[in-house]
Amino acid sequence: MSTRCRIGIKNADNSVSSIYCHHDGYVEGVGKTLDKYWNNKDEIIELIASGDISYLEENLDETGFYNDGSSPKLSDTIMEYLELDPVWIEYYYLYEDNKWFISEGSSFPFISITDYLSRHV
């Protein structure tokens, strides 16, 4: 069974560009990978621009892209981002102000991945 998530970046106009990730979306998987390896904004933008992924790895070359022509979804607001695919998505990740945040859906606020791990693991 897969733990699905969305990976997004907050844009200058407060919109969010995001992609879907099918596998290992839980914080100990995708969350830790984002926090440890994905801290260069240009690389994050390139990741998201490349479309939906099956799984996330340490870099673009190892990440499993669907290569199906998918493109990032643009949400006008963070709340709209949190409402994307609410039945399927278990975790939402957001890169903002050079830091990764996580939410478990629209009824949960974003907190830093570091804070989340200290409370849940």
Side-chain angles (χ1 to χ4, degrees):
M1 187 150 184
S2 300
T3 304
R4 300 166 185 95
C5 69
R6 291 202 71 82
I7 300 169
I9 187 168
K10 186 175 177 184
N11 301 311
D13 64 359
N14 292 322
S15 65
V16 177
S17 298
S18 69
I19 57 171
Y20 168 78
C21 177
H22 190 73
H23 292 286
D24 301 327
Y26 47 89
V27 71
E28 295 86 359
V30 167
K32 280 187 175 181
T33 301
L34 289 170
D35 200 44
K36 185 173 182 179
Y37 299 106
W38 291 92
N39 291 296
N40 177 302
K41 188 174 182 178
D42 291 334
E43 290 176 0
I44 296 164
I45 290 169
E46 188 175 356
L47 169 69
I48 292 171
S50 298
D52 294 341
I53 60 177
S54 177
Y55 57 89
L56 179 70
E57 292 292 340
E58 298 174 12
N59 57 55
L60 287 170
D61 292 334
E62 296 177 26
T63 295
F65 290 94
Y66 282 122
N67 296 319
D68 62 356
S70 63
S71 59
K73 286 191 178 179
L74 181 64
S75 304
D76 290 333
T77 65
I78 290 175
M79 192 54 143
E80 186 178 299
Y81 169 56
L82 289 172
E83 293 172 351
L84 289 174
D85 311 313
V87 174
W88 297 105
I89 302 300
E90 296 180 56
Y91 297 97
Y92 294 81
Y93 294 97
L94 182 68
Y95 189 76
E96 176 183 10
D97 298 326
N98 299 311
K99 192 173 182 180
W100 282 106
F101 296 87
I102 183 173
S103 173
E104 293 184 63
S106 60
S107 58
F108 298 92
F110 275 102
I111 63 170
S112 76
I113 290 177
T114 304
D115 289 346
Y116 185 95
L117 286 169
S118 70
R119 295 179 190 173
H120 294 88
V121 176

